[in-house]
């Protein structure tokens, strides 16, 4: 019998803690970009798998099929067509790089654009995955205030000016203009114009993350900034995770040639999974409209369910705007509630949510916020989970003042 | 009309050159881990896609299905069973991490184990993807001599001693013991024992890369080092690329808990594509033996074809051992041939091969070597491509002394 071998002593210097063993999802799972199991187009994917494998399956013998490192040509063509039809974007398939989730697109952009010590601008409440990535890159992330119309351009101008006074030009502005994560706000067209002009004048690229732009059901879709004039400094990022399946790990980035060739050069992964790409390309080419319409019906009902549950169980203690699309709702609780602390008690009761500070460039102003994702739980689970969360919150913080309609 | 926006000035400091636009594969494609298009089990994959999507398709609504960040439980169980049956390895599915190709497994291991300035040991001729990765990590890669029985353990002992004299303990030994890449050699059982004992005594982990271990047709399979006693310091890496499809981007690593939890912690990608995992798990559970037997028949015939073509067109100018498995052959040409120079002329003539120096820890001893991958081209293309290569080589270097059986 040999002694245990001590790997720990050999590890890299700056290694994070080990991941805990997987113990399954929470009973009431309001976190992550999970989607509705009933919304997975199982029969459509089966039909596409059969059709496309018979037509193109042999090309799986080569890395990246026959289409090179930018990804499957049919999938890129679908994206180019969809971007033109729905987002006002004129782009060719050659300008698109398929990535393993939009997270990989963000990783590649960060790799190409950032050095340690750089400064980046983001919305004050923003996607935790990107905030964490930026911190791992060792850059300063400066947050800009949001309001009901998403990013405040006047505040952005102030932030840019203050940075300029310090001699700092940010490397880029990271924004989620269409169903902003986590606030669910949509940047109006006029603000898009202002953001483009301001950033362009300052020589600052814009990373436009439109992961949720397919899931906007309550209002007109403002077109993508990448579709507007004077947007040559915009890198446009999107995903298949939110409107099809997060487990597929497919995303993309649309970038000018000088940037795209660099993104490809650092994408040192042998390509993104091609079987998935070919099945998805075949499915979406014929089914995008019907699929997304059906999914949005489901999501709107779940949005209504979570709004009703929040009103019922939190009453006036919970402030929020019913989101016009997407899969999450951003909830403000009274200032005495610390959602980081609430998180532990809620998890112990089987309720998982995202505490505000994790979704923010500065923790303090987000202390009493939380994000609830509503796509994955059923309407019944939404009702029961929000009731449970209100009960735990009442017990831990006295908010809401009554629980289960009984003042305690 | 706005001016072009200058992204170049904003790029990170140490960025590689942009990738050139994709122009397709060479006419005679002897590079890369591409496989035989006739070997893709199209109908089997269709049947599995239908069966598994109907059974488990709804779980695509959640990241990583229901199985957490280590990857699909059914696929991990298949691997645990296969490792036990064919590689002598007793391991549970819980010890396995599914990765996006074995390259990602290598990336994660490097991230967990390496700091800039570290030293790593590899075979003198080794996988270019790993050598390049190690160089990007800023570590010193020390090569150890190979012979017909793969890694020379006596030379390894000398290298370890010389490093110890300088106060250097290498972070790991990277080895491809079963169908070594590029030499096609197989490390005998006794050398595996010696390598395990020597590395263990020195406190040096072993990265055992068994990407080609399914494709060994000419001799008994020596079991994996990870299956031998005293192998707690071995990280075992494998792939589905070589015996199923490189375009799937599936690989894995088997590691002790302390390492596995760190690998999972730094695998910040939202999981590996789950649709591919579920289809592959279903297909291989029922078809691994028959599929691999059929593929090996094809590959053996192609191996025979390339051996015959090399003998016919290069005669005694090409020294090689017919590999007992795998998808490549390592060819030594006379010392006056510089395969880096030959490469450009060959590409211009439509023949792509891997020049030896790219597949070596030190370029000089590999100057007159080249690697030819034979799985992708047809037997006819193999014959024509090797003839073309001999013609170009004769024209550029005078080697072989005659071309197309005509001395010039």
């Amino acid at each position: 019998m040999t002694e245990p071998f001590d790997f720990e002593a050999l590890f890299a210097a700056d290694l994070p803690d080990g991941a805990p063993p997987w113990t399954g999802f929470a009973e009431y799972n309001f976190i992550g970009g999970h989607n509705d199991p009933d919304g997975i187009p199982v029969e459509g994917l089966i039909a596409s798998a059969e059709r496309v494998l018979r037509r193109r399956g042999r090309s799986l013998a080569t890395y990246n099929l026959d289409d090179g490192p930018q990804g499957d040509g049919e999938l890129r063509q679908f994206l180019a067509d969809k971007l033109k039809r729905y987002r006002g974007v004129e782009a060719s398939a050659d300008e698109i790089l398929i990535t393993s989730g939009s997270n990989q697109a963000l990783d590649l952009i960060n790799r190409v654009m950032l050095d340690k010590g750089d400064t980046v601008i983001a919305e004050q409440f923003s996607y935790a995955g990107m905030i964490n990535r930026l911190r791992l890159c060792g850059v300063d992330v400066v947050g800009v205030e949001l309001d009901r119309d998403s990013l405040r351009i006047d505040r952005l101008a102030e932030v840019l000016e203050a940075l300029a006074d310090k001699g700092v030009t940010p490397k880029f502005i990271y924004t989620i203009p269409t169903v902003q994560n986590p606030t669910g706000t949509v940047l109006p067209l006029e603000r898009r114009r202002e953001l483009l002009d301001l950033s362009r004048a300052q020589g600052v690229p814009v990373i436009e993350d439109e992961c949720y732009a397919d899931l906007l059901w309550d209002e007109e879709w403002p077109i993508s900034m990448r579709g507007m004039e004077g947007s040559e400094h915009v890198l446009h990022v999107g995903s298949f995770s939110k409107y099809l399946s997060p487990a597929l790990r497919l995303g993309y980035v649309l970038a000018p040639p000088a940037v795209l060739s660099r993104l490809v050069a650092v994408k040192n992964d042998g390509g993104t999974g091609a079987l998935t790409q070919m099945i998805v390309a075949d499915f979406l080419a014929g089914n995008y409209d019907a699929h997304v319409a059906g999914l949005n019906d489901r999501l709107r009902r779940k949005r209504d369910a979570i709004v009703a549950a929040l009103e019922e169980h939190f009453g006036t203690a919970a402030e929020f705007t019913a989101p016009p699309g997407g899969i999450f709702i951003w909830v403000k609780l009274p200032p005495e509630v610390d959602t980081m602390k609430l998180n532990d008690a809620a998890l112990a009761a089987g309720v998982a949510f995202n505490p505000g500070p994790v979704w923010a460039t500065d923790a303090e102003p987000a202390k009493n916020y939380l994000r609830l994702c509503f796509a994955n739980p059923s309407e019944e689970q939404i009702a029961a989970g929000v009731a449970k969360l209100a009960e735990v919150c009442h017990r831990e913080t006295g908010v809401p003042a009554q629980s289960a309609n009984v003042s305690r």
Side-chain angles (χ1 to χ4, degrees), chain A:
Chain A
M1 201 57 196
T2 48
E3 294 291 304
F5 185 85
D6 184 16
F7 272 99
E8 300 271 351
L10 299 166
F11 284 162
D14 62 339
L15 206 57
D17 288 341
W22 173 248
T23 54
F25 293 120
E27 183 179 0
Y28 302 107
N29 185 17
F30 295 113
I31 61 171
H34 306 302
N35 220 307
D36 188 335
D38 293 329
I40 299 295
V42 169
E43 294 302 324
L45 291 174
I46 289 171
S48 285
E50 174 170 0
R51 190 163 45 228
V52 81
L53 274 165
R54 208 155 274 147
R55 179 162 61 86
R56 307 174 62 204
R58 286 165 48 90
S59 64
L60 289 168
T62 45
Y63 281 93
N64 293 303
L65 313 173
D66 308 316
D67 290 337
Q70 283 177 238
D72 179 34
E74 294 190 11
L75 189 60
R76 287 186 279 131
Q77 190 56 54
F78 162 77
L79 286 170
D81 294 343
K82 176 168 86 85
L83 283 165
K84 180 173 181 177
R85 197 152 26 121
Y86 292 117
R87 311 301 304 129
V89 176
E90 294 279 352
S92 88
D94 290 343
E95 298 173 77
I96 294 171
L97 170 64
I98 303 290
T99 56
S100 303
S102 64
N103 274 337
Q104 190 187 37
L106 299 176
D107 280 335
L108 297 174
I109 290 169
N110 291 343
R111 170 68 186 89
V112 166
M113 301 295 296
L114 300 180
D115 290 306
K116 203 172 168 175
D118 279 344
T119 296
V120 158
I121 292 178
E123 287 134 2
Q124 63 170 150
F125 308 131
S126 186
Y127 171 46
M130 183 56 160
I131 296 173
N132 292 338
R133 281 174 158 72
L134 292 171
R135 289 191 177 135
L136 285 173
C137 293
V139 304
D140 290 328
V141 185
V142 179
V144 177
E145 208 176 316
L146 294 149
D147 65 14
R148 292 175 65 108
D149 285 331
S150 213
L151 186 66
R152 282 188 58 172
I153 309 300
D154 57 336
R155 296 294 198 206
L156 174 63
E158 289 167 21
V159 164
L160 284 167
E161 201 176 310
L163 288 171
D165 286 348
K166 292 194 281 182
V168 173
T169 305
K171 275 295 184 79
F172 58 71
I173 299 164
Y174 174 72
T175 177
I176 309 167
T178 313
V179 193
Q180 203 270 341
N181 184 355
T183 62
T185 51
V186 178
L187 195 71
L189 208 58
E190 316 81 68
R191 286 198 185 182
R192 290 176 194 238
R193 180 74 265 153
E194 290 164 16
L195 174 52
L196 280 178
D197 293 345
L198 178 61
S199 55
R200 182 69 183 243
Q202 304 280 330
V204 182
V206 173
I207 316 299
E208 175 184 53
D209 184 343
E210 282 218 321
C211 277
Y212 297 95
D214 303 82
L215 305 180
L216 189 56
W217 55 72
D218 273 2
E219 46 187 85
E220 285 293 298
W221 295 13
I223 66 166
S224 157
M225 282 188 284
R226 177 58 180 73
M228 298 168 69
E229 213 173 313
S231 62
E232 293 78 3
H233 62 308
V234 174
L235 306 184
H236 179 93
V237 173
S239 179
F240 301 78
S241 293
K242 312 309 176 187
Y243 71 86
L244 189 54
S245 154
L248 300 176
R249 311 313 301 129
L250 284 184
Y252 68 94
V253 51
L254 167 61
V259 182
L260 197 78
S261 70
R262 303 301 186 119
L263 295 171
V264 173
V266 300
K267 190 175 185 290
N268 189 21
D269 63 356
T272 288
L275 176 60
T276 308
Q277 289 186 68
M278 62 165 65
I279 294 173
V280 167
D282 185 275
F283 174 75
L284 290 176
N287 299 284
Y288 173 83
D289 289 328
H291 169 71
V292 167
L295 181 63
N296 277 336
D297 278 348
R298 293 177 186 287
L299 294 178
R300 191 172 48 225
R301 283 201 302 276
K302 291 192 173 185
R303 189 270 319 262
D304 293 344
I306 203 159
V307 164
L310 285 165
E311 285 173 346
E312 178 181 350
H313 298 288
F314 281 89
T316 55
E319 287 179 46
F320 55 84
T321 304
I327 60 174
F328 44 75
I329 189 165
W330 183 239
V331 179
K332 183 183 183 182
L333 295 174
E336 63 267 32
V337 179
D338 180 333
T339 57
M340 294 297 280
K341 289 183 188 160
L342 179 61
N343 192 35
D344 294 335
L347 276 177
V351 182
F353 66 83
N354 296 119
V358 179
W359 246 254
T361 56
D362 295 297
E364 187 55 32
K367 201 178 70 69
N368 51 323
Y369 284 84
L370 56 84
R371 188 183 86 135
L372 296 171
C373 296
F374 53 76
N376 185 248
S378 67
E379 291 176 54
E380 293 70 29
Q381 286 173 317
I382 288 172
V386 171
K388 174 73 76 179
L389 178 62
E391 187 189 314
V392 172
C393 193
H394 174 79
R395 190 182 70 218
E396 299 288 320
T397 70
V399 170
Q402 56 177 28
S403 169
N405 289 326
V406 180
S407 155
R408 296 182 180 178

